[in-house]
Amino acid sequence: MSMFSNLRRAVRRGYRRAVDLSHPARSPLGSSVVNCVVYQDGIRQEGCAEVEEALRRVRKTGEGFVWIGLHEPSQLELAGLAELLGLHPLAVEDAVHAHQRPKVERYDDTLFAVFKTVRYVEHEELTATSEVVETGELMAFVGEDFVITIRHGGHGTLGPVREALEAEPEQLAKGPAAVLHAMADHVVDDYVAVTDAVQSDMDAVETAVFSEHGGRGDAGRIYQLKRELLELRRAVAPLGRPLEHLATQPIPVIPAEVRAYFRDVADHLTRATEQIAAYDGLLDSILQAHLAQVTVAQNEDMRKITAWAAIVAVPTMVCGVYGMNFDHMPELHWTYGYPLVLGVMAVACYVIHRGFRRNGWL
């Protein structure tokens, strides 16, 4: 089992998404703006690096949209965009402070979506303090002619998403809704990948508990894995209702042709959610089995202690009787009395020991 676990871990380490070096976490100017690009008919347009210029160009021609990428913007940095694009103050506050539940909210003609990102933390061996799942956040403001993506955390970059969309101009030509779908699909694919990766830790814990020499310290590892699984569930489970809303409810900024794509994402999310629930139930069973094993081991220890105490009680009783120092005790002055008493004690201890061995106590 460990061989297959190590093989899965090596494959995961060898597979990494291509890093989009053209989209750094922060620009050289220190701004939170990662990128600002105008797309027309699904084709990336050059020469529109400034947000105001890009938006003016899109609204002048009435074609295409502008995609603005941000990384952990401050209140001041986002305030200018909020005023320019008419973003709702409550949504702006959520976007700045993060730590939000996955959700989709509509403010007039603008859609605000929050996704939790997850990443599997590689580790050689699961311990009681191992970090298994790391979370972050992706947010998006979607309007008729703009989409703003905001990333919080050190992972979950949208560089690969942007590259994949630019490789499919016909999909990108569907507008900002296509970007929102690509984000959701990217996030949910990571959910599926992380839940698959957690399988190796589940296998390791299960193998350790049910091995011939299962350690009593496995409870800490089981509990830690259960906590990490709970963090994963908090990221995955709440996204179900927002995706259902995007897939079924008529929303002005989500065309009907894009709405069908969200149903496919919702199916993948259901798979991840069910797998996490199955892991949680299996961990409960493993924990109960481990506690039962500990109880059985403790009972066996108590039986051994009791058996040895009974064996030691025989010579203790005999020595106690002959240690009372009365003058008229049987065989007290007999020449062979001492070795006879030792022999009787040895035979009695042997008989008792054999009886406990026959009954499985020793």
Side-chain angles (χ1 to χ4, degrees):
M1 182 66 71
S2 60
M3 180 182 69
F4 291 109
S5 299
N6 293 335
L7 180 60
R8 278 200 298 268
R9 188 174 289 111
V11 170
R12 287 200 307 271
R13 286 176 177 172
Y15 172 74
R16 290 290 186 271
R17 286 193 177 96
V19 178
D20 183 14
L21 298 179
S22 65
H23 306 120
R26 288 189 178 274
S27 69
L29 300 178
S31 170
S32 64
V33 178
V34 176
N35 214 328
C36 176
V37 180
V38 171
Y39 294 95
Q40 291 183 356
D41 296 326
I43 306 299
R44 178 174 180 151
Q45 305 298 308
E46 302 297 336
C48 296
E50 296 295 331
V51 176
E52 294 85 352
E53 178 187 353
L55 190 62
R56 189 183 308 112
R57 176 175 175 177
V58 167
R59 292 182 173 175
K60 181 179 179 180
T61 60
E63 297 178 354
F65 67 95
V66 57
W67 181 353
I68 305 167
L70 306 177
H71 179 258
E72 298 183 354
S74 65
Q75 182 76 40
L76 182 61
E77 289 172 328
L78 198 55
L81 277 177
E83 182 178 358
L84 181 65
L85 300 172
L87 306 180
H88 197 280
L90 291 178
V92 172
E93 182 180 356
D94 290 346
V96 171
H97 297 293
H99 304 295
Q100 305 296 317
R101 282 172 55 88
K103 60 182 180 179
V104 173
E105 295 177 340
R106 180 181 172 186
Y107 297 95
D108 297 328
D109 295 331
T110 302
L111 203 65
F112 177 60
V114 177
F115 304 98
K116 283 282 189 180
T117 60
V118 298
R119 183 179 72 89
Y120 181 78
V121 180
E122 296 286 353
H123 46 271
E124 293 295 332
E125 182 181 1
L126 180 67
T127 66
T129 58
S130 295
E131 183 181 12
V132 178
V133 177
E134 181 184 356
T135 60
E137 287 185 41
L138 277 177
M139 304 176 180
F141 289 93
V142 181
E144 290 290 342
D145 52 10
F146 69 88
V147 57
I148 303 174
T149 56
I150 302 171
R151 178 166 62 93
H152 289 270
H155 65 281
T157 177
L158 290 176
V161 176
R162 187 186 293 267
E163 292 176 348
L165 279 174
E166 290 178 354
E168 299 181 7
E170 65 282 358
Q171 182 70 12
L172 195 54
K174 296 175 182 177
V179 177
L180 182 62
H181 162 261
M183 282 182 58
D185 188 53
H186 171 73
V187 169
V188 173
D189 283 348
D190 283 345
Y191 291 165
V192 175
V194 171
T195 52
D196 289 342
V198 171
Q199 178 69 48
S200 61
D201 294 311
M202 297 286 298
D203 292 342
V205 168
E206 188 176 15
T207 301
V209 168
F210 292 102
S211 64
E212 183 178 356
H213 305 288
R216 297 187 181 182
D218 287 331
R221 298 201 303 162
I222 298 173
Y223 183 69
Q224 178 64 15
L225 184 56
K226 194 169 180 63
R227 287 188 60 184
E228 294 295 308
L229 203 62
L230 177 60
E231 183 176 1
L232 180 58
R233 171 181 280 182
R234 286 174 178 170
V236 175
L239 188 57
R241 188 177 295 274
L243 280 182
E244 181 182 358
H245 182 73
L246 291 172
T248 59
Q249 299 299 319
I251 303 174
V253 295
I254 306 294
E257 57 182 335
V258 178
R259 199 180 305 149
Y261 289 94
F262 284 104
R263 288 198 291 269
D264 180 67
V265 178
D267 289 340
H268 293 171
L269 180 70
T270 301
R271 174 199 164 187
T273 303
E274 291 176 349
Q275 194 168 359
I276 293 171
Y279 286 166
D280 190 59
L282 181 59
L283 275 180
D284 287 337
S285 300
I286 292 175
L287 183 59
Q288 292 300 321
H290 174 70
L291 294 178
Q293 287 179 334
V294 171
T295 301
V296 170
Q298 290 176 341
N299 290 339
E300 291 179 352
D301 292 343
M302 288 301 301
R303 289 196 303 179
K304 291 179 180 180
I305 293 173
T306 303
W308 283 111
I311 293 173
V312 174
V314 173
T316 301
M317 180 187 67
V318 174
C319 293
V321 169
Y322 278 90
M324 291 187 292
N325 297 323
F326 290 110
D327 290 333
H328 303 287
M329 294 182 67
E331 316 302 340
L332 189 63
H333 299 287
W334 185 38
T335 303
Y336 300 103
Y338 179 66
L340 178 63
V341 170
L342 291 180
V344 170
M345 289 191 296
V347 171
C349 290
Y350 172 77
V351 172
I352 296 174
H353 182 272
R354 182 165 181 158
F356 280 128
R357 285 289 297 273
R358 185 180 298 112
N359 292 327
W361 284 45
L362 289 174

